[in-house]
Amino acid sequence: MVLCKVRTLAVYFDSLNENNLPVFSGGDLVSGRVVVEVTGDVRVQRLNITARGVAKVRWTESRNAGANTAYTQNYTEEVEYLRHYDTLIGEDRDEDTPEEGATVLHTGLHEFAFSFNLPQMALATSFEGKHGSVRYWVKAELHRPWMMPVKAKKEFIVFEHIDINTPLLLAPQAGTKEKTLCCWFCASGPISLSAKIERKGYTPGESIQIFAEVENCSSRVVVPKAALYQTQTFFAKGKGKQIQQLVSNLRGDPLQQGKSQSWEGKLLKIPPVSPSILDCPIIRVEYALVVYVDIPGGLNLSLSLPLVIGTIPLHACASRTSSISSNCGSVGWLGLPERPEAPPSYSDLAISEEHRRDCLQGCDRPEGGGEDQTLLTYITEFRYLPPPLYSEVDPYPDSMEAADVCRSDVCPSR
């Protein structure tokens, strides 16, 4: 006797990236197969799939309200981006008559194709955080008469593309700060920090070129540093929860009193990180480059330059434009004026009416003779005549031009 049972129920996607992962974007077609392996003849009431995409936030806060009493508050919020339902076998029927219209699957493997389109809208990028997540999945459910359904679930990844080749994300980011240290009645000189990066948008794997100038006029030894931070912000019930994580950092050389240090394009590599999430109402993922001066025994002097981590890398032409704009903007670092001299005004170049009249009178009374006098007489004669009217009839036909050529020195004499 063969025991009838479902050995395998699995979901497979047709399109995989180079890392064998199912990755899609808004508007893409998601297709795949539900594979069922059975032993013996299995009666199936229906086989359906459900595709969902949900951003979910959850955290708990506890407060002591007395010696033995604790107050606990749960914060939860959810936003749905995708909901798709499809029946691959059978149809939805009354549970009181499960045997009616059942489909028999014989021993072996059975494949059932499915497909659906992601919404043409700004979807939230797949994300896993401490207090929230954005997940997309396809779940298959196999229903048999008088038995518990068999379920299988497979997640897929969604990237909401961010193109860094836009004027806003190609604009340089810069800032300047200064701080004076004081201890009781003794005050030391200021510490100044200036920093600049070529643009605001980057993609994972790139390196950020940091241009910085640090001047230490204090009595302490300070160290210039830079760090890339990721900030996760979760919103629920009108309240926010924030988590900041260090992504990458670098360190400069210690700076003695009265010394200065310059970074001429010091590189900070961006590791593989999640793209920025800026459009989700309950989850935000933001990045910032913090260039700071580590001051022993005091509060650090820091500059925060916001960044956007995108998915579409920099184009070649955009790279050249960004480099040119960065070089033009960095003229001030060399002590040269950042703005070019303004062009002269029209009033400085325009010729006055009196000067024009004198020039024309000079043309009417030429002092020379010969060819110069003839040319000036020609200019004076036609000075006030209108231009000739347009006509499609050639006033100089080819025959006349040929005759003129023959009369010139080019034609041999007869």
Side-chain angles (χ1 to χ4, degrees):
M1 179 179 178
V2 178
L3 181 61
C4 299
K5 66 175 183 178
V6 178
R7 294 190 59 185
T8 303
L9 177 65
V11 178
Y12 297 95
F13 294 100
D14 293 336
S15 300
L16 303 176
N17 66 358
E18 61 274 8
N19 297 320
N20 290 325
L21 296 174
V23 180
F24 305 94
S25 299
D28 285 353
L29 175 68
V30 180
S31 62
R33 298 159 290 120
V34 177
V35 176
V36 183
E37 183 182 5
V38 298
T39 57
D41 294 340
V42 176
R43 297 176 63 83
V44 177
Q45 182 182 359
R46 71 178 184 274
L47 172 63
N48 59 266
I49 64 160
T50 303
R52 294 198 65 195
V54 175
K56 184 179 295 185
V57 168
R58 179 181 178 85
W59 77 87
T60 302
E61 292 184 0
S62 299
R63 295 182 179 89
N64 292 329
N68 301 317
T69 306
Y71 172 76
T72 302
Q73 178 67 43
N74 293 322
Y75 293 89
T76 60
E77 203 75 47
E78 185 175 304
V79 175
E80 185 175 75
Y81 286 97
L82 169 66
R83 180 182 287 271
H84 173 81
Y85 180 87
D86 193 11
T87 302
L88 306 182
I89 297 179
E91 58 185 26
D92 292 332
R93 293 180 178 273
D94 189 357
E95 294 295 336
D96 295 335
T97 58
E99 294 284 353
E100 185 178 349
T103 301
V104 178
L105 297 182
H106 302 290
T107 301
L109 286 173
H110 303 268
E111 293 189 1
F112 303 92
F114 67 87
S115 65
F116 58 90
N117 284 94
L118 294 178
Q120 290 278 4
M121 58 180 288
L123 302 176
T125 297
S126 299
F127 174 74
E128 291 291 333
K130 183 175 181 179
H131 300 297
S133 62
V134 182
R135 297 173 182 170
Y136 299 83
W137 68 87
V138 172
K139 183 170 67 174
E141 296 185 13
L142 182 67
H143 295 263
R144 296 168 294 171
W146 313 111
M147 300 186 70
M148 295 295 295
V150 181
K151 300 179 182 180
K153 183 178 178 181
K154 186 69 172 289
E155 293 193 12
F156 60 93
I157 302 170
V158 168
F159 270 134
E160 178 59 28
H161 284 303
I162 300 177
D163 189 355
I164 68 172
N165 300 279
T166 61
L168 178 63
L169 300 185
L170 291 177
Q173 306 293 301
T176 301
K177 272 192 177 181
E178 186 176 278
K179 183 176 183 178
T180 301
L181 302 179
C182 59
C183 180
W184 294 97
F185 302 103
C186 177
S188 63
I191 302 174
S192 61
L193 167 65
S194 299
K196 177 181 177 180
I197 55 177
E198 294 180 323
R199 46 192 160 93
K200 185 177 181 180
Y202 292 86
T203 53
E206 285 192 279
S207 293
I208 306 173
Q209 280 191 310
I210 305 174
F211 299 86
E213 182 90 25
V214 182
E215 185 175 4
N216 181 21
C217 295
S218 70
S219 58
R220 306 184 189 182
V221 178
V222 300
V223 181
K225 299 179 181 181
L228 176 62
Y229 286 97
Q230 180 197 74
T231 302
Q232 305 173 12
T233 309
F234 308 92
F235 302 94
K237 296 183 179 180
K239 190 171 182 179
K241 192 80 168 177
Q242 198 169 81
I243 301 293
Q244 189 177 71
Q245 296 180 347
L246 176 65
V247 175
S248 180
N249 62 347
L250 60 83
R251 174 191 177 100
D253 299 326
L255 200 58
Q256 303 289 334
Q257 178 183 2
K259 300 294 184 179
S260 62
Q261 186 175 140
S262 296
W263 289 357
E264 299 297 336
K266 202 173 185 69
L267 298 179
L268 177 63
K269 189 174 179 62
I270 303 175
V273 292
S274 170
S276 299
I277 300 179
L278 306 175
D279 297 326
C280 182
I282 62 174
I283 297 178
R284 288 182 67 88
V285 177
E286 300 168 295
Y287 293 87
L289 174 69
V290 179
V291 182
Y292 63 101
V293 180
D294 188 0
I295 304 173
L299 296 177
N300 295 337
L301 174 64
S302 63
L303 275 173
S304 181
L305 305 178
L307 298 180
V308 173
I309 302 299
T311 60
I312 300 178
L314 192 68
H315 297 161
C317 58
S319 175
R320 183 175 180 273
T321 304
S322 174
S323 177
I324 292 176
S325 65
S326 175
N327 292 336
C328 293
S330 62
V331 175
W333 295 88
L334 303 177
L336 301 177
E338 294 192 2
R339 294 185 179 180
E341 184 180 355
S345 62
Y346 175 77
S347 60
D348 297 336
L349 299 178
I351 300 176
S352 65
E353 180 64 24
E354 181 180 358
H355 186 269
R356 186 182 68 84
R357 191 180 301 112
D358 293 342
C359 291
L360 293 177
Q361 290 177 357
C363 291
D364 292 338
R365 298 189 301 273
E367 296 181 358
E371 293 182 0
D372 293 340
Q373 184 174 357
T374 303
L375 176 61
L376 294 176
T377 303
Y378 179 87
I379 295 175
T380 305
E381 180 181 357
F382 291 93
R383 186 172 64 219
Y384 301 112
L385 291 181
L389 297 177
Y390 172 75
S391 175
E392 295 185 357
V393 179
D394 188 359
Y396 304 103
D398 295 341
S399 58
M400 296 183 63
E401 292 180 0
D404 292 340
V405 172
C406 290
R407 283 196 297 268
S408 65
D409 296 337
V410 178
C411 294
S413 59
R414 303 181 196 180

